[in-house]
Amino acid sequence: MGEKSISRRSLMKMGGLAALGMAGASALSGCGQPASKGSMAATGSAPDAVPNASVATPWLVAPEPIVDFTETKEYDVVVVGAGAAGLPAALTAFEGGATVALLQKENQAVSQGSAGLGIDLATSDQAGIEAVVSLLEQVNQYRPRRDLLELWAQNSGEAVQWVMDKVMEGGGQVISQGNAQVMKYTDFDGAKVNYVSAFFGPKPYTNTEAMLDLAKVVEASGVDVFYSTPAEQLITDESGAVVGVAAKTSDGYVQFAAKKGVILATGDYQNDDDMCDFYLPDIKNFARKQMNKTGDGHKMGCWVGGRIEPVGHTKMLHDFDAGPATMCDLPFLAVDVNGNRFCCETAPMDVLNNFLKDGDKLKDGEAGWYSQIFDANYETACADWPCPKLYTPEELENFMPDVDGEKQGVVEGFIRTFRADTLEELAEKIGADPATFKATVERYNEMVASGRDDDFGKPVQFLKPIDTPPFYAMNRWLRVSAITSGLVVDGNLQVLDENDEPIPGLYAAGNVSGGFYGGIDYPMTLAGLSLGRCYTQGRYLGRLVANL
């Protein structure tokens, strides 16, 4: 690539303070600088002039290049990250005839979630498929690249089915759900769409365990898997092409040469506070569900000339454990940690974090706590509400930690559904001020009786009194599950530089890649889309790079 100046146009494209930080990091850190002729070297050097130029974005300042290696291992494809994208990428590349190294900084495969979604092309109409793609554009504020959404739509059914088959081969368990969780999106003006949906459950078995079972198949296949081997830098040749990875082992650094390409599948950056404060300052007070997700792939990609999406990043926060997941979006009365109503309850769970991020809505310094409130008449009162499954009072006991009995299909440490004979007792159970909570319910009941919500304008259909004991509360806690924004890539998931030119030899899949989402929050419109995207992009890249 050679040294290059940063144009005013490029600065304006990146925008404001971020542009100053990114430009400083790129220009001063040697990102994209060629290695010495005829050799491979990890790219990057610490700036020795204007050291504060990249204060805003310190993660973009490349470290000193790693040059001392204990050995070199040569492969066709090197995959970095053993998760929902990396495992399919590695095994698919191997099945395609490539020699493959899979590097993982943890001592095992790591992933999360439960369901993965794809489209069944054989039984879907083309117009319906395109309607789904347009729907995803809409719920992401029209920011995604349509070609990346198309990549998912055209390849996801096969990829999700392949993952299900391989997990079963590894001894795992899966429920093939088909259209069960997405019935609303199967008919678009007569154009039909059918889905392939993998649900790895019931809990406590989840996609976490499923990927461990898939990893067994990968390990037995002939892919060389290197656990506890964190990738620290990418290696470029004199032209700027990525030709390998420098990874740390207990014996020193090993150079993993990649003849055909490197696939980054390292996940998100939720555990890097600097990156979160810069790209997503509104998640500062939310607990994280994952550990050690420090944006390694984002950083390494930038150090060789790539760039991170310059638009607002997309966050995913939800709680499907406290109570039944199927009831999480029902417009029951919702109260914050103090017992106050805080929004029109027709807002779905995926956006509620925006109401609960700071101020007096924190519980012990943490954001995201709220409770859904209803009374003993909920089955009758909510009979005309859209709900995949309305749990009976007996079934709700499975989510009640203070009710004796064996719990099935839940993670017991996170269930928080409560029942009480008085509002004051219910307030105590959810940690709200009893007087405030009771006053909120009384005010709500007055508006229900009047037939108008004078506080938030909730539709009359969803105004139901809370006056018949026992009273119920599903006490939910929103935490960061994933950040779904990353490196700028093209329609084939090849990482792009600041001029929108592909960086030879470098690809990104899953949450380290960008362009697929674009909203403030991850849309839960199509259940299982996140994992479906990861499976699909990993498998697609495994096939693509192996065939180069």
Side-chain angles (χ1 to χ4, degrees):
M1 287 183 180
E3 296 181 354
K4 62 183 74 174
S5 62
I6 304 298
S7 68
R8 176 177 176 81
R9 179 173 178 272
S10 296
L11 281 169
M12 295 305 292
K13 281 173 62 180
M14 290 186 282
L17 182 61
L20 174 62
M22 291 182 182
S26 178
L28 297 176
S29 68
C31 292
Q33 191 174 26
S36 58
K37 187 174 182 179
S39 67
M40 294 194 301
T43 302
S45 60
D48 54 12
V50 199
N52 293 321
S54 297
V55 163
T57 53
W59 55 91
L60 297 179
V61 180
E64 292 288 350
I66 298 167
V67 295
D68 294 324
F69 298 101
T70 60
E71 63 176 316
T72 295
K73 295 180 180 289
E74 297 185 354
Y75 294 90
D76 293 324
V77 181
V78 177
V79 179
V80 184
L87 289 166
L91 185 52
T92 300
F94 183 81
E95 291 177 339
T99 58
V100 181
L102 175 60
L103 311 182
Q104 170 73 339
K105 72 176 179 180
E106 311 289 0
N107 63 3
Q108 62 178 34
V110 174
S111 189
Q112 60 274 343
S114 294
L117 185 73
I119 293 178
D120 183 358
L121 296 181
T123 61
S124 298
D125 297 326
Q126 183 62 29
I129 294 170
E130 295 306 322
V132 171
V133 172
S134 293
L135 172 67
L136 292 178
E137 285 186 312
Q138 177 186 359
V139 297
N140 283 286
Q141 283 74 62
Y142 298 96
R143 281 177 162 176
R145 290 186 60 127
R146 189 174 179 96
D147 53 2
L148 291 178
L149 300 179
E150 293 277 9
L151 187 155
W152 168 79
Q154 298 298 327
N155 296 276
S156 55
E158 185 275 339
V160 172
Q161 185 61 57
W162 179 87
V163 169
M164 283 197 284
D165 293 342
K166 294 299 181 181
V167 169
M168 292 292 286
E169 184 180 330
Q173 61 194 59
V174 64
I175 300 171
S176 180
Q177 291 187 312
N179 296 337
Q181 300 300 318
V182 286
M183 286 300 300
K184 184 177 178 181
Y185 304 105
T186 58
D187 190 315
F188 295 85
D189 294 325
K192 304 296 184 182
V193 181
N194 290 302
Y195 298 88
V196 180
S197 181
F199 177 72
F200 294 110
K203 293 178 179 179
Y205 189 92
T206 67
N207 187 68
T208 300
E209 289 71 33
M211 292 302 100
L212 291 174
D213 289 324
L214 177 57
K216 297 174 187 175
V217 178
V218 175
E219 294 161 12
S221 69
V223 172
D224 288 345
V225 184
F226 298 87
Y227 292 116
S228 302
T229 306
E232 294 199 356
Q233 292 179 15
L234 297 172
I235 297 171
T236 60
D237 65 13
E238 60 184 5
S239 72
V242 172
V243 293
V245 177
K248 189 175 184 179
T249 72
S250 58
D251 297 322
Y253 287 101
V254 173
Q255 182 171 253
F256 288 87
K259 180 180 178 181
K260 296 186 175 185
V262 172
I263 299 172
L264 297 174
T266 50
D268 67 35
Y269 58 83
Q270 64 181 271
N271 304 121
D272 185 297
D273 290 340
D274 286 337
M275 294 182 71
C276 289
D277 288 347
F278 185 83
Y279 295 113
L280 284 167
D282 51 343
I283 67 171
K284 187 176 185 65
N285 295 320
F286 289 92
R288 311 301 201 250
K289 286 189 176 182
Q290 313 307 322
M291 297 185 297
N292 218 18
K293 296 288 184 69
T294 48
D296 301 350
H298 296 69
K299 298 168 187 174
M300 288 188 290
C302 287
W303 296 341
V304 296
R307 57 195 174 95
I308 296 173
E309 288 181 280
V311 298
H313 286 190
T314 302
K315 59 188 184 294
M316 179 193 300
L317 297 97
H318 56 65
D319 177 356
F320 292 129
D321 292 306
T326 59
M327 296 171 67
C328 72
D329 281 341
L330 293 186
F332 297 123
L333 169 66
V335 299
D336 63 22
V337 67
N338 302 302
N340 291 309
R341 192 177 179 210
F342 61 91
C343 72
C344 175
E345 292 88 357
T346 54
M349 181 173 64
D350 52 294
V351 300
L352 290 186
N353 67 89
N354 296 299
F355 298 100
L356 303 167
K357 60 183 182 294
D358 49 28
D360 65 349
K361 294 178 173 58
L362 307 183
K363 178 179 179 180
D364 298 325
E366 290 186 332
W369 290 94
Y370 74 101
S371 298
Q372 296 173 279
I373 309 299
F374 48 97
D375 74 0
N377 293 323
Y378 74 94
E379 289 182 282
T380 301
C382 306
D384 62 340
W385 291 5
C387 180
K389 175 176 169 55
L390 195 64
Y391 279 57
T392 67
E394 293 74 24
E395 290 173 322
L396 285 180
E397 292 182 355
N398 192 53
F399 296 86
M400 296 179 179
D402 56 354
V403 173
D404 293 335
E406 184 179 358
K407 311 299 184 185
Q408 299 289 335
V410 300
V411 179
E412 291 201 39
F414 291 115
I415 57 173
R416 287 182 307 278
T417 295
F418 300 100
R419 181 172 57 198
D421 291 328
T422 67
L423 293 174
E424 291 85 353
E425 181 186 356
L426 191 64
E428 294 286 352
K429 288 189 175 185
I430 64 175
D433 175 69
T436 301
F437 176 69
K438 186 176 181 182
T440 296
V441 175
E442 290 174 347
R443 165 67 177 165
Y444 187 75
N445 284 337
E446 289 173 0
M447 292 188 294
V448 172
S450 73
R452 297 193 315 181
D453 180 1
D454 290 333
D455 292 343
F456 292 99
K458 186 159 72 171
V460 175
Q461 175 190 1
F462 302 123
L463 290 175
K464 305 297 180 182
I466 302 170
D467 56 12
T468 304
F471 303 104
Y472 293 85
M474 290 184 287
N475 185 215
R476 298 193 186 271
W477 180 26
L478 305 176
R479 295 177 293 151
V480 178
S481 296
I483 297 168
T484 57
S485 299
L487 294 166
V488 177
V489 297
D490 66 13
N492 281 320
L493 299 167
Q494 190 163 6
V495 177
L496 301 178
D497 66 15
E498 64 174 21
N499 297 313
D500 283 332
E501 295 293 331
I503 298 174
L506 184 60
Y507 304 83
N511 290 337
V512 70
S513 69
F516 194 87
Y517 301 101
I520 295 173
D521 296 286
Y522 168 83
M524 295 182 189
T525 311
L526 295 178
L529 179 64
S530 180
L531 283 175
R533 170 218 186 186
C534 291
Y535 301 155
T536 303
Q537 290 186 344
R539 184 148 168 78
Y540 179 87
L541 279 183
R543 187 180 291 120
L544 175 73
V545 180
N547 289 328
L548 292 176

